[in-house]
Amino acid sequence: MKKIPLIILTGPTAVGKTNLSIQLAKNMNMEIISADSMQIYKHMDIGSAKVTEEEMDGVKHYLIDEVSPDYSFSVSEFQERANKYIEEIVSKGKLPLVTGGTGLYLNSLIYNMDFAKSDADNELRESLRLELEQNGIDYMHNKLRELDEE
């Protein structure tokens, strides 16, 4: 697989990444991929400093408002979608600019982390959720304490 040049602009919320990334994208023929764990969700605008359509100023953005808040989005899925978008951007003769502050998302791209399918037990998870709903947090905390005092 051919290495693709990737420019990453990162930092905490509200330090000016959005404005800088749009200027870079416009001046260097780039499209932007968001690496922000909150901006992926539709309707999660407050507190995430999500870029507006007006701020985008015609620059294509990916992984913003992509899934509903009730969707269980993972770093593995971020990595898969981001890599697909990187290839799409490069196929247009443009450079991908990844910007955001979610370190694990960025590391998944930089280090090509392998997120093999987990052995998640969704039935157990649902059973415990129902138990919590029926018995409350104190009951669940005591149950956990019985299993592991620390």
Side-chain angles (χ1 to χ4, degrees):
M1 183 174 155
K2 182 184 169 202
K3 287 224 177 214
I4 297 172
L6 195 60
I7 297 173
I8 297 175
L9 176 61
T10 189
T13 300
V15 294
K17 292 184 305 294
T18 298
N19 186 46
L20 180 57
S21 67
I22 291 166
Q23 293 310 310
L24 280 170
K26 289 173 82 174
N27 290 326
M28 298 180 66
N29 194 29
M30 299 173 151
E31 291 184 347
I32 298 171
I33 297 172
S34 172
D36 185 292
S37 62
M38 290 292 101
Q39 293 186 15
I40 188 78
Y41 294 105
K42 297 173 186 173
H43 317 296
M44 302 283 281
D45 302 342
I46 298 172
S48 67
K50 189 181 293 181
V51 64
T52 66
E53 196 74 36
E54 184 178 317
E55 289 172 315
M56 289 180 190
D57 197 17
V59 174
K60 177 82 172 154
H61 284 65
Y62 300 85
L63 293 173
I64 293 180
D65 288 337
E66 193 139 323
V67 298
S68 297
D70 61 346
Y71 182 82
S72 182
F73 193 79
S74 68
V75 65
S76 175
E77 191 166 352
F78 166 81
Q79 182 187 49
E80 184 180 310
R81 290 183 187 212
N83 281 325
K84 180 184 84 154
Y85 290 138
I86 288 167
E87 289 178 19
E88 183 180 317
I89 292 166
V90 170
S91 75
K92 297 186 224 178
K94 297 184 175 205
L95 288 173
L97 171 60
V98 180
T99 185
T102 302
L104 187 57
Y105 281 11
L106 295 167
N107 285 341
S108 77
L109 296 177
I110 296 167
Y111 301 111
N112 196 25
M113 299 167 93
D114 183 13
F115 297 99
K117 294 288 182 200
S118 71
D119 294 332
D121 188 339
N122 290 326
E123 286 180 26
L124 175 61
R125 182 173 290 178
E126 180 61 16
S127 164
L128 290 170
R129 189 192 66 72
L130 288 172
E131 194 172 348
L132 170 64
E133 194 175 284
Q134 292 169 353
N135 300 303
I137 191 77
D138 290 334
Y139 170 85
M140 293 302 280
H141 187 256
N142 288 332
K143 185 173 180 172
L144 180 60
R145 183 180 292 129
E146 288 174 15
L147 294 171
D148 184 347
E149 182 66 32
E150 289 183 46

